[in-house]
Structures are given as C-alpha cells and as structure tokens.
Amino acid sequence: MTYCVGLLLNAGLVLLSDTRTNAGLDNISTYRKMFTFEEPGERVIVMMTAGNLSVTQTTLARLAEDINNPDATHETSIMKAENMLDVATMVGEMLSRVTAETKVRMDRMNQSASASMIVAGQRKGGRMRLFLIYPEGNFIEATEDTPYLQIGEHKYGKPILDRVISADTPLEDARKAALLSMDSTLRSNLSVGMPLDMVVIETDALRITEQRRIEANDEKFAAMSAAWSQALRDAFTQIK
C-alpha cells in the first residue's frame, strides 16, 4: 500500500510520499515513489506512484527512454511537451498501455495490475497544475475548490486536509498539513511506512525549491507528531 498527497496552492506545490511496498506480511520493502524531472528555468515535473510496482516502474522507465531519445519531440517526451496538460495526457497513455500489457500476465495469477499516479509541475509560460492519473489513462485535475489530490491509502489523512487546506494556504502551513496527514496515515495503517520524500515548488520558480527525505529517526517529524497527538488529546478533553 502507499500514501501520496499533492497540494496545489497559489504559492506553489507541496508533494509528499511514503516509500513502503507490501507484497505480503513477509515481503515488505522500501521503494521510492516520487520522481522528479527538471530543466531549471524551463520546466519542472514531479510524479508520484501507487499500486502495482511492475506497472509503475515500467511506465517510468519508458517515459525516461522517451526523454532520452535523441529524436524526441513535443509529442513523445514529457520534457518537450508544450504544456502540463499534454504531460498528463502522455503519462496517462503510457500508464494505460503498460497496465493493459501487464494485466494479461497478472490475470493468470489472479493478481492486480492496477496503478495510479499523481503528476504535478509547471512549464515556462504556463500555470502550475496537479493531476491524478487513473489506471485507464484518464485523469482529473486539482482546482481552487479542491486544491489537493491523494493516491493510495488516503482516507486517514483526508480529514485534516479538508479542514485546513485552501488555495490561499501558505507553503509553510501546507508542509505542516501534508506531514500531519501522512502522520495520521502512518499511525492507522502499517502498510504505509517511512522514510518519506517531500518536494516543494514555489510558483513560477520553474525548479524544485526544496527536496528532502525524512527518515524514521527524524527529530522534527517526531516532535510534530507528538505535538499533534497532544493537541488532539487536549482538544478532546476540552469539549463538553
């Protein structure tokens, strides 16, 4: 299982993912689920993945091949696409194709070949955009009314986002909300696990503003988690 969340704000993007994969109680591993593509000053793209690892890895590998192809064009490479809508379309088409190919083999073993992705970023001259790509290749986009998207085990981390996130939320508060959303998920579902990957992209920066990995022994994250737990307990006892 996975939990990834992306926040689209007037001030920029905040993206956060866990790294745990679970193929059974005795087969738990750590795999990166956040991938960045950047040409500073021109465009920045971030992808996060959830679902069947074979599908997501193959999809990313093929997208990377198309980027590195010397004959790449704006119709074949996400790093040459004319806008983020075209990027989402290209990623969706690749994900759909790989899903269909993998499903034929997985069906024989009664296993799922489903996967989904979050795609976010900005191209020079365009606005920041955030998309959720479904296994079939279709997608939805974050809006001012719904400025965040989630994939994977999303239900535990959703309430805090619903309560505190709007398009006008400052980046610092958005970082905090994303991390507390992840903390709630970590506490309620053992199939989501650390370390975490976080990326922040300021509006019109056209590059990654902040990127860090948060390990299990991260003192700041632990302090935030403890403070949130205490605040919830205090609020609970004060309600009459």
Side-chain angles (χ1 to χ4, degrees):
M1 188 52 76
T2 294
Y3 179 48
C4 301
V5 58
L7 311 180
L8 177 66
L9 316 161
N10 294 333
L13 285 161
V14 176
L15 304 143
L16 181 67
S17 72
D18 83 314
T19 56
R20 178 167 293 178
T21 61
N22 185 356
L25 293 176
D26 60 348
N27 189 9
I28 297 174
S29 302
T30 296
Y31 281 94
R32 182 176 293 275
K33 301 172 187 176
M34 180 183 290
F35 304 88
T36 61
F37 306 83
E38 186 181 24
E39 186 179 338
E42 171 59 28
R43 75 184 65 208
V44 56
I45 300 169
V46 180
M47 299 185 197
M48 297 186 291
T49 65
N52 183 279
L53 191 61
S54 176
V55 171
T56 57
Q57 287 190 341
T58 302
T59 298
L60 286 160
R62 291 186 181 178
L63 290 169
E65 285 182 354
D66 289 341
I67 291 172
N68 295 324
N69 187 331
D71 297 322
T73 69
H74 69 277
E75 295 179 338
T76 63
S77 168
I78 62 172
M79 295 304 287
K80 293 182 179 293
E82 295 182 351
N83 52 61
M84 283 301 300
L85 181 61
D86 287 347
V87 171
T89 300
M90 293 165 66
V91 173
E93 290 174 350
M94 184 65 76
L95 179 61
S96 175
R97 190 156 60 246
V98 173
T99 298
E101 293 171 1
T102 307
K103 188 175 186 299
V104 174
R105 297 188 294 272
M106 300 296 286
D107 281 351
R108 300 187 193 125
M109 299 177 286
N110 295 317
Q111 296 182 7
S112 172
S114 179
S116 56
M117 302 176 70
I118 285 177
V119 177
Q122 185 178 21
R123 184 189 184 277
K124 186 177 181 179
R127 59 187 174 87
M128 282 196 150
R129 303 180 79 169
L130 174 69
F131 301 90
L132 191 162
I133 316 291
Y134 292 105
E136 298 79 11
N138 57 316
F139 51 83
I140 61 172
E141 184 174 4
T143 66
E144 186 170 343
D145 292 328
T146 307
Y148 71 87
L149 295 171
Q150 303 164 287
I151 53 176
E153 189 57 85
H154 62 272
K155 57 183 176 291
Y156 303 108
K158 189 174 187 296
I160 184 174
L161 301 178
D162 286 336
R163 283 184 163 88
V164 305
I165 293 298
S166 71
D168 293 326
T169 302
L171 284 178
E172 188 60 36
D173 288 346
R175 285 189 194 92
K176 188 192 309 180
L179 288 167
L180 291 176
S181 175
M182 179 66 74
D183 179 64
S184 297
T185 306
L186 291 169
R187 285 178 171 270
S188 298
N189 192 315
L190 292 177
S191 66
V192 177
M194 302 197 52
L196 312 175
D197 288 313
M198 173 175 275
V199 160
V200 177
I201 305 170
E202 294 179 4
T203 298
D204 295 330
L206 297 173
R207 62 178 179 82
I208 294 172
T209 309
E210 175 188 346
Q211 183 171 13
R212 66 188 180 109
R213 171 157 282 202
I214 302 168
E215 300 288 350
N217 60 354
D218 187 278
E219 293 182 358
K220 289 185 178 180
F221 182 76
M224 178 183 290
S225 175
W228 179 239
S229 295
Q230 187 60 52
L232 288 174
R233 285 192 292 268
D234 292 344
F236 177 80
T237 58
Q238 291 170 12
I239 293 175
K240 304 299 183 182

